[in-house]
Amino acid sequence: MSGGIHFSGLASGSDFDTMITQLKKVESIQVNRMKLWKGDWQKRVDAFGTINTEIQNFQSVVQKMDTMSEFLAKSATSSFDTVATATTDAKATEGVYKISVGQLARNAMWTYNSGFADKTSKVNTSGTNQTFQYTYKGTQRTLSVGPDTTVEGLVNIINSDPNNPGVKAGLVKNGNVYNLQIRGMDLGAANEMTIDAGTNLSNLPAPNGSGTDWNRQTAQNAFFRINDWPPLNLDQPELSFIQSESNTVSEAIEGLTLTLKDVGTTQITVATDTEKIKQNIQDFVDGMNAVRTKMIELTKVSANKEASDPNKGTSQFDAEKGSVLTGNYGVQLLSSRLKLAVSGRGDGFDYYSDANGGEGDYYSTLAHIGILTVADQSDKDNGLLRIDMEKLDKALAKDPTAVAELFAADGIGTSDSQHFSYYSQIKGITKPGIYDVTYDVDATGKIINAKIGGQNASIDQNTHQISSLTGDSRGLVIQVNNLVAGSYSDTVRLKQGKAGQMDDILKDVLSSDGTLKIIEKNYEDIMDEIDKKIERESDRIIRWERSIRLRFARLEATLTKYNGQMESLSKQVSQLTQK
């Protein structure tokens, strides 16, 4: 090879190019094998990508149901929704609530009765500065109004005041005139407003004694009764009602937010929406099954699969009965974690016992409510979860809250002890679980030797509380109720439902240092090493081809020389013969 020209044997009659091409194919066998090898690792990465997608989909499902308010669906219907309506959360107790509304909360409002012919009508025609003065929620504002200011200009002065305490001015068109209206933005009797005597505008005076020039709406609280409580008090009627500064009431009935709309009486019926709960459970099972199905598909071994000759297949998987991830330790680890989370007790849940009138959690595993893994290998759903709807319906009919806690308890603390109770925790610090609590009370009524989870706990003698400072229970606070001298021990449970438990596992799996990412990184490192080997082998083949072409070029030159000599000798012999 010289100057990029190949000596391909034209002179000698030998097809060196074809010979080199065939030899190059032999030399490239190792490169081609490494490329196929890399392709197999890429197939593994792609397979983990599909599992990753199913896990992310499942995570989005469990994150929508990992609190009691999200999972335990309850409905509230009103017999007269023009009087009051309600929304619920998980704490709402089923039942019927009679709501009697005596009056609605309203804001303070002043309207000037004399209309202005136009928005540009002047309120100050004195030729000098005048004043508009009002008081809202105890704050008085005195505003300077310049000469020739229009009623629309006064509206802007009030609204743009940087120290406006919370009022809004506007113009109300009434037929052919405009009435100035100023209203407080807050409901409730405490948010009163007055137009004050300092107001001296030419065409907008302060209120007169008769009250005929300004129309006033006083601020007031909402008055209502729940199930005929409070009782009627004719001497002090205001004591006959619950009062609220707002028409939206969220603390009168636990778990229920009332919206008062008009004076009157209505019945609010609160019921558990079991169909929505069942749909949440079905979504959980479907999401889990989608992950399991993908893992089964990518790890299955099929006896009916036709395995090709290892030397002829385009992938090692063509020569195997297994699949892309058959026997993969990462999939096995993930599968085991998910199966254990599904089959085991919920974190912080304890098996139910009839002792002492009932202790523990009535439902502590998914099997208790009819969710089991299909173990029959002949079943098409082998390895997947299946819901026994009859058993689930019975569980929901017996205790829907307990079912909801199994899925969606989000740090619910409880204890069956008669001597102490759960008080509080630190979200994100205190881990779910069952913790032993022990302490002594001495003869003076002081708490001593307190331990939580086997670790010494701090003691507050004033509040009679003991707090965990170390370990998984760190931040857990227990309220001691029995201060009679003696020794006491029992457990406290901090419960996390299956949805939250699963979310924690999936977050760990999907994290930058989680199982999937570590395996993916390992596979990428392997492929990088294969690329380096391919690059080295490709460089070797280039050098080999350059060398072999030079050798064949020299051979071509030699053969050409000898061919020329042979032709010359042949001509000489021919001439001698002719003589």
Side-chain angles (χ1 to χ4, degrees):
M1 183 169 64
S2 176
I5 299 175
H6 290 188
F7 294 90
S8 56
L10 294 178
S12 65
S14 300
D15 189 356
F16 292 140
D17 258 350
T18 299
M19 293 172 62
I20 291 172
T21 298
Q22 295 303 317
L23 289 171
K24 186 176 180 180
K25 287 182 179 179
V26 175
E27 292 292 327
S28 299
I29 288 175
Q30 185 63 17
V31 170
N32 293 334
R33 284 177 176 173
M34 285 190 288
K35 289 180 178 178
L36 292 176
W37 187 29
K38 178 186 176 182
D40 288 342
W41 286 107
Q42 185 61 56
K43 289 177 182 177
R44 293 185 178 96
V45 172
D46 294 341
F48 271 105
T50 61
I51 293 176
N52 187 82
T53 298
E54 293 297 345
I55 289 175
Q56 289 177 329
N57 292 338
F58 185 35
Q59 185 181 42
S60 67
V61 170
V62 298
Q63 287 179 341
K64 293 177 181 177
M65 61 173 70
D66 59 354
T67 65
M68 290 292 287
S69 59
E70 291 173 328
F71 188 91
L72 186 55
K74 292 189 176 182
S75 61
T77 57
S78 175
S79 59
F80 292 98
D81 55 14
T82 57
V83 173
T85 58
T87 58
T88 64
D89 64 26
K91 295 180 180 180
T93 303
E94 294 184 17
V96 178
Y97 302 87
K98 178 182 177 182
I99 308 299
S100 302
V101 182
Q103 69 179 34
L104 296 178
R106 67 184 185 187
N107 57 330
M109 186 183 303
W110 287 70
T111 305
Y112 188 55
N113 289 328
S114 297
F116 294 89
D118 194 270
K119 294 180 180 181
T120 59
S121 299
K122 296 178 181 179
V123 294
N124 182 358
T125 58
S126 67
T128 61
N129 287 344
Q130 293 184 321
T131 299
F132 181 77
Q133 187 180 70
Y134 70 94
T135 298
Y136 182 61
K137 296 198 295 186
T139 298
Q140 187 177 74
R141 294 296 299 146
T142 302
L143 305 176
S144 179
V145 182
D148 299 324
T149 297
T150 65
V151 66
E152 186 175 43
L154 177 61
V155 168
N156 292 332
I157 290 173
I158 296 171
N159 292 340
S160 61
D161 175 16
N163 296 313
N164 185 319
V167 304
K168 182 77 172 179
L171 294 175
V172 179
K173 189 173 183 180
N174 181 14
N176 296 323
V177 299
Y178 292 88
N179 294 91
L180 174 67
Q181 187 176 85
I182 306 169
R183 64 185 184 277
M185 300 305 293
D186 303 293
L187 300 177
N191 303 308
E192 193 52 88
M193 179 173 63
T194 59
I195 307 297
D196 297 341
T199 299
N200 61 358
L201 296 174
S202 305
N203 295 321
L204 190 72
N208 57 36
S210 64
T212 57
D213 49 355
W214 286 86
N215 181 71
R216 179 185 182 185
Q217 173 179 291
T218 58
Q220 66 182 29
N221 290 339
F223 285 7
F224 64 99
R225 303 172 72 207
I226 300 175
N227 293 335
D228 295 325
W229 185 89
L232 291 176
N233 188 325
L234 299 180
D235 294 329
Q236 294 179 287
E238 68 276 6
L239 299 181
S240 300
F241 296 93
I242 302 170
Q243 296 193 34
S244 170
E245 292 186 349
S246 172
N247 292 317
T248 301
V249 183
S250 59
E251 296 183 349
I253 304 173
E254 186 177 25
L256 211 61
T257 298
L258 299 173
T259 300
L260 309 180
K261 296 183 175 181
D262 201 356
V263 174
T265 299
T266 186
Q267 303 278 357
I268 302 291
T269 301
V270 177
T272 299
D273 189 346
T274 55
E275 292 304 314
K276 181 63 169 64
I277 294 175
K278 289 169 69 173
Q279 185 59 57
N280 286 336
I281 295 174
Q282 186 66 60
D283 290 344
F284 180 94
V285 170
D286 290 345
M288 183 72 257
N289 282 345
V291 175
R292 285 190 175 184
T293 297
K294 184 56 66 176
M295 289 194 292
I296 292 172
E297 173 190 330
L298 295 172
T299 59
K300 67 181 178 182
V301 175
S302 176
N304 297 324
K305 179 181 176 182
E306 293 185 6
S308 63
D309 187 331
N311 297 317
K312 295 181 180 179
T314 59
S315 167
Q316 73 176 70
F317 304 121
D318 296 337
E320 299 174 349
K321 295 289 186 180
S323 302
V324 177
L325 296 179
T326 297
N328 186 279
Y329 73 95
V331 177
Q332 292 174 347
L333 176 62
L334 176 58
S335 178
S336 296
R337 290 188 68 184
L338 295 179
K339 287 180 180 178
L340 183 61
V342 167
S343 62
R345 282 185 302 172
D347 290 340
F349 286 75
D350 200 4
Y351 292 120
Y352 183 78
S353 169
D354 289 326
N356 300 321
E359 294 183 349
D361 300 284
Y362 203 78
Y363 306 122
S364 58
T365 70
L366 295 181
H368 289 159
I369 62 172
I371 301 175
L372 292 167
T373 299
V374 178
D376 184 355
Q377 294 186 355
S378 65
D379 195 304
K380 65 180 180 63
D381 292 331
N382 177 48
L384 303 182
L385 295 179
R386 181 178 290 168
I387 304 174
D388 182 337
M389 283 299 179
E390 182 178 354
K391 191 171 184 178
L392 176 59
D393 285 339
K394 289 181 179 179
L396 286 171
K398 183 177 183 65
D399 195 339
T401 300
V403 174
E405 285 187 359
L406 180 59
F407 279 91
D410 50 345
I412 295 176
T414 185
S415 175
D416 296 316
S417 173
Q418 299 177 354
H419 308 294
F420 63 83
S421 57
Y422 163 82
Y423 185 78
S424 68
Q425 62 176 297
I426 300 176
K427 288 286 188 181
I429 299 295
T430 313
K431 295 182 179 180
I434 302 176
Y435 298 103
D436 292 325
V437 178
T438 62
Y439 65 91
D440 298 328
V441 179
D442 66 16
T444 65
K446 288 186 177 181
I447 304 168
I448 58 175
N449 304 325
K451 291 186 177 182
I452 298 178
Q455 303 293 321
N456 291 332
S458 68
I459 302 171
D460 188 327
Q461 301 292 355
N462 293 322
T463 62
H464 306 139
Q465 293 175 351
I466 58 177
S467 305
S468 175
L469 303 177
T470 59
D472 290 346
S473 63
R474 183 162 64 97
L476 180 61
V477 181
I478 303 300
Q479 181 69 57
V480 175
N481 302 318
N482 187 350
L483 295 175
V484 176
S487 298
Y488 303 95
S489 65
D490 211 320
T491 60
V492 63
R493 305 192 301 281
L494 196 61
K495 298 187 285 188
Q496 181 184 45
K498 291 294 181 179
Q501 181 183 356
M502 195 63 67
D503 185 36
D504 287 344
I505 292 174
L506 300 183
K507 283 179 180 176
D508 179 58
V509 169
L510 296 172
S511 67
S512 59
D513 57 352
T515 305
L516 294 183
K517 289 296 183 182
I518 290 175
I519 294 176
E520 184 178 344
K521 179 65 168 57
N522 289 342
Y523 289 177
E524 289 174 349
D525 290 344
I526 291 172
M527 289 190 290
D528 287 342
E529 288 299 317
I530 294 174
D531 281 336
K532 292 176 182 178
K533 291 180 180 180
I534 291 174
E535 183 179 359
R536 290 195 294 269
E537 185 66 11
S538 297
D539 289 342
R540 185 194 69 79
I541 292 173
I542 291 173
R543 293 193 299 272
W544 170 86
E545 184 178 6
R546 184 183 298 118
S547 174
I548 200 70
R549 284 191 180 278
L550 288 173
R551 291 169 63 184
F552 275 110
R554 288 194 293 270
L555 177 59
E556 171 73 2
T558 299
L559 291 175
T560 300
K561 175 182 176 182
Y562 287 144
N563 284 339
Q565 291 176 351
M566 288 179 63
E567 289 178 3
S568 176
L569 289 173
S570 296
K571 289 180 180 180
Q572 292 177 14
V573 170
S574 176
Q575 290 175 356
L576 291 173
T577 303
Q578 291 176 358
K579 292 180 178 182

